[in-house]
């Protein structure tokens, strides 16, 4: 029975359409939701103190994997920076221009200023361009592996160019 | 055994007559009593109600769409902020950036935080952070130069 279902599933037969429902006629619907099942999994495994199976430490890293986690990392970093700025605005006594002048007076060389600008511009550019790539995926396009790599390299290239250009401005 | 009988009746008479046998209709409600009638090794346990009931109006689905709409709005705000800076853009950016970040971090928490209380605590902390962030940005827009001007000044050095 399970074999039959799996074979059909492999061939892309949609089992939820009415005329296929006869195939799992004696199937019993789960009494729990997916969320409950997930919670049960974590509760049981942490209670038994089971170690996590190695995954990212053993699986070969690929460009799409690295780009995905970089998207998450840049997002968290940018969000953190915005929150830090907002909290500073609430807490620090002086005005924005006051603190800018303070930094000016340090007479940091143009190289370091450029580097700092790049440090801000790169996460922003990368997250923006990769975000557009994500929206492209949300339209259902560009999932073929060569396309994933092509759009990925495009994002990396555009990010580098944009950040360097912004750093030089 | 029951499975074999049903399959053979499908082969013999085709699928249509089976529809008239009420025992073969998949019932989405949990029918605990019925589980005892059939031996569990003959029963495939499935989430049968999900594809039947998850329309495009579920809370999760609407949230997903709202996230994409906000992302597109934020993308549009970029060039607008560059070409016509001002208080309207400043406050729009404050709102869009904070909400985009709030929802983004929310997804990260959903991925990595497990356990009901931990999830609740993490989301409460996030809500607090986002509130403070939005308050701080609005304060900056009102009492100081504003986001657009701040970026322009920062880059001019």
């Amino acid at each position: 029975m399970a074999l039959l279902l799996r074979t059909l599933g492999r061939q892309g037969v949609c089992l939820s359409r009415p005329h296929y429902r006869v195939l799992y006629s004696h199937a019993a619907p789960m009494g729990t939701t997916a969320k409950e099942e997930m919670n049960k999994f974590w509760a049981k495994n942490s209670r038994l103190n089971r170690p996590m199976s190695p995954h990212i430490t053993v699986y070969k890293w690929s460009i799409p994997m690295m780009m995905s986690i970089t998207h998450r990392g840049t997002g968290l970093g940018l969000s953190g920076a915005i929150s830090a700025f907002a909290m500073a605005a609430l807490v620090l006594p002086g005005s924005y221009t006051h603190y800018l002048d303070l930094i000016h007076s340090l007479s940091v060389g143009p190289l370091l200023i450029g580097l700092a600008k790049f440090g801000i511009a790169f996460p922003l550019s990368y997250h923006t361009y990769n975000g557009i790539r994500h929206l492209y995926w949300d339209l259902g396009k560009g999932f073929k592996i060569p396309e994933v790599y092509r759009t990925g390299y495009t994002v990396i290239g555009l990010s580098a160019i944009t950040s360097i250009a912004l750093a030089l401005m | 055994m029951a499975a074999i009988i049903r399959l053979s009746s499908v082969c013999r008479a085709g699928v249509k007559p089976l529809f008239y046998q009420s025992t073969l209709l998949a019932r989405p409600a949990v029918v605990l009593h019925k589980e005892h009638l059939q031996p569990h090794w003959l029963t495939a346990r499935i989430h049968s109600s999900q594809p039947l009931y998850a329309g495009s109006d579920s809370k999760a689905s609407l949230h997903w769409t709202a996230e994409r709409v906000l992302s597109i709005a934020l993308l549009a705000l970029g060039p607008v902020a560059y070409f016509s800076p001002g208080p309207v853009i400043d406050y729009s950016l404050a709102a869009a950036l904070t909400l985009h970040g709030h929802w983004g971090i929310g997804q990260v928490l959903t991925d990595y935080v497990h356990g009901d209380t931990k999830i609740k605590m993490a989301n409460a902390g996030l809500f607090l952070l986002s509130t403070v962030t939005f308050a701080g940005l609005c304060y900056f827009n009102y009492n100081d130069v504003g986001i657009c001007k701040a970026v322009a000044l920062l880059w001019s050095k």
Side-chain angles (χ1 to χ4, degrees):
Chain A
M1 189 63 222
L3 189 63
L4 184 61
L5 283 173
R6 285 206 322 267
T7 315
L8 290 171
R10 206 173 299 128
Q11 290 165 7
V13 170
C14 178
L15 287 174
S16 61
R17 280 161 67 219
H19 44 286
Y20 288 113
R21 274 188 236 158
V22 294
L23 289 165
Y24 53 85
S25 58
H26 53 285
M30 300 285 292
T32 50
T33 63
K35 208 177 247 185
E36 286 163 3
E37 289 290 316
M38 289 193 283
N39 280 341
K40 276 165 65 183
F41 171 86
W42 286 107
K44 176 175 179 179
N45 285 289
S46 36
R47 180 174 42 89
L48 292 168
N49 248 320
R50 286 176 175 167
M52 178 91 87
S53 190
H55 48 303
I56 53 179
T57 44
V58 294
Y59 200 84
K60 181 174 178 177
W61 280 93
S62 62
I63 300 274
M65 272 170 83
M66 291 190 266
M67 290 190 69
S68 178
I69 194 62
T70 308
H71 187 79
R72 182 159 270 191
T74 50
L76 285 171
L78 288 165
S79 202
I82 292 173
S83 291
F85 176 80
M87 289 191 276
L90 285 171
V91 164
L92 295 177
S95 73
Y96 180 70
T97 35
H98 166 78
Y99 291 106
L100 258 187
D101 290 334
L102 249 169
I103 302 174
H104 270 284
S105 66
L106 289 172
S107 326
V108 192
L111 179 64
L112 274 170
I113 290 181
L115 233 61
K117 286 184 179 176
F118 184 82
I120 297 173
F122 184 77
L124 185 61
S125 315
Y126 179 88
H127 192 82
T128 305
Y129 288 124
N130 203 223
I132 297 172
R133 184 165 165 245
H134 262 286
L135 289 170
Y136 187 61
W137 286 331
D138 289 335
L139 287 171
K141 297 165 176 290
F143 282 107
K144 292 203 185 78
I145 296 297
E147 291 171 325
V148 170
Y149 276 84
R150 209 180 311 132
T151 50
Y153 289 133
T154 308
V155 163
I156 295 173
L158 280 174
S159 302
I161 295 170
T162 309
S163 341
I164 293 172
L166 283 174
L168 291 172
M169 280 166 72
Chain B
M1 198 60 220
I4 295 168
I5 291 171
R6 293 223 173 87
L7 277 176
S8 65
S9 58
V10 171
C11 298
R12 204 185 342 107
V15 170
K16 276 258 165 42
L18 291 173
F19 277 109
Y20 302 113
Q21 295 179 39
S22 60
T23 49
L24 291 181
L25 292 172
R27 288 196 184 86
V30 175
V31 185
L32 293 167
H33 177 63
K34 254 205 155 72
E35 282 177 12
H36 296 293
L37 299 179
Q38 287 145 4
H40 77 97
W41 45 266
L42 264 187
T43 307
R45 300 181 71 79
I46 53 154
H47 291 278
S48 68
S49 48
Q50 294 316 96
L52 301 174
Y53 291 127
S56 57
D57 292 327
S58 68
K59 187 167 175 273
S61 179
L62 288 171
H63 180 85
W64 186 92
T65 309
E67 284 179 331
R68 318 297 129 154
V69 169
L70 179 66
S71 300
I72 295 169
L74 192 52
L75 271 173
L77 272 178
V80 176
Y82 181 77
F83 290 110
S84 38
V88 175
I89 303 296
D90 281 340
Y91 286 99
S92 307
L93 266 176
L97 280 171
T98 320
L99 192 55
H100 183 75
H102 179 78
W103 282 344
I105 298 177
Q107 294 293 352
V108 177
L109 292 180
T110 308
D111 279 350
Y112 301 138
V113 179
H114 306 288
D116 286 323
T117 21
K118 276 193 238 168
I119 292 173
K120 236 181 231 173
M121 301 288 303
N123 280 109
L126 173 62
F127 198 83
L128 186 63
L129 178 69
S130 298
T131 310
V132 171
T133 304
F134 186 60
L137 288 176
C138 287
Y139 177 86
F140 185 79
N141 282 336
Y142 190 79
N143 292 307
D144 215 315
V145 293
I147 297 177
C148 298
K149 193 85 180 101
V151 176
L153 283 172
L154 181 70
W155 230 254
S156 67
K157 79 168 166 83

